[in-house]
């Protein structure tokens, strides 16, 4: 059972930046695509970004393009989501998830085998 742990959430002012991390200490993440999802209050969970397990290809939902950057460090079994120019619309619980041999062609939740517990990101002045 792959256990994912997110960290890095918190309170940030509009226009600010945060970096979220997703890590596991049990198995290598090398074979998994890592996706970041978020769920805002009263809204459905949405896919934000993904980095593939194969060629490092990435995906971003339109609302975060140019502001968020996803990356991975397989040696550290970690993936990160750098977020900048944050707005109140980015306030949500952010989850990382792992998709074995995933290629990020889709961000359907059912594609992901393992999920972290979530970390809260609040953008407010």
């Amino acid at each position: 059972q792959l256990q994912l742990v997110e960290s890095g959430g918190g309170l940030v002012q509009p226009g600010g930046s945060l970096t979220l991390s997703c890590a596991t200490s049990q198995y290598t993440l090398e074979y998994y695509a890592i996706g970041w999802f978020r769920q805002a209050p009263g809204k459905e969970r949405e896919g934000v970004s993904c980095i593939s397990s194969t060629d490092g290809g990435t995906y971003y939902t339109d609302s975060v393009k140019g502001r968020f950057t996803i990356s991975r460090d397989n040696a550290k079994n970690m993936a990160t989501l750098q977020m900048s120019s944050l707005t109140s619309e980015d306030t949500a619980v952010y989850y990382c998830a792992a998709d074995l041999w995933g290629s990020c062609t889709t961000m359907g939740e059912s594609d992901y085998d393992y999920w972290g517990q979530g970390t809260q990101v609040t953008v407010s002045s």
Side-chain angles (χ1 to χ4, degrees):
Q1 185 81 4
L2 183 65
Q3 292 184 336
L4 302 173
V5 178
E6 301 101 334
S7 60
L11 174 64
V12 63
Q13 292 186 340
S17 301
L18 276 178
T19 297
L20 305 182
S21 296
C22 175
T24 180
S25 60
Q26 303 160 288
Y27 305 104
T28 180
L29 286 180
E30 181 178 2
Y31 309 122
Y32 293 86
I34 302 299
W36 286 95
F37 294 77
R38 66 185 179 186
Q39 187 167 22
K43 295 186 178 180
E44 293 186 354
R45 189 156 57 184
E46 66 167 339
V48 175
S49 182
C50 177
I51 186 164
S52 77
S53 63
T54 53
D55 59 2
T58 58
Y59 162 86
Y60 299 94
T61 194
D62 286 346
S63 63
V64 307
K65 285 180 180 177
R67 300 189 300 120
F68 289 13
T69 302
I70 191 171
S71 62
R72 65 190 303 154
D73 186 336
N74 290 333
K76 294 183 179 180
N77 287 332
M78 179 180 293
T80 61
L81 184 68
Q82 295 177 286
M83 307 184 296
S84 62
S85 301
L86 289 163
T87 74
S88 59
E89 296 296 309
D90 297 311
T91 294
V93 178
Y94 283 72
Y95 300 88
C96 71
D99 175 15
L100 184 61
W101 298 116
S103 59
C104 296
T105 54
T106 174
M107 287 208 72
E109 293 187 32
S110 62
D111 292 332
Y112 290 81
D113 308 293
Y114 302 100
W115 293 78
Q117 81 289 350
T119 185
Q120 176 70 47
V121 172
T122 303
V123 184
S124 176
S125 56

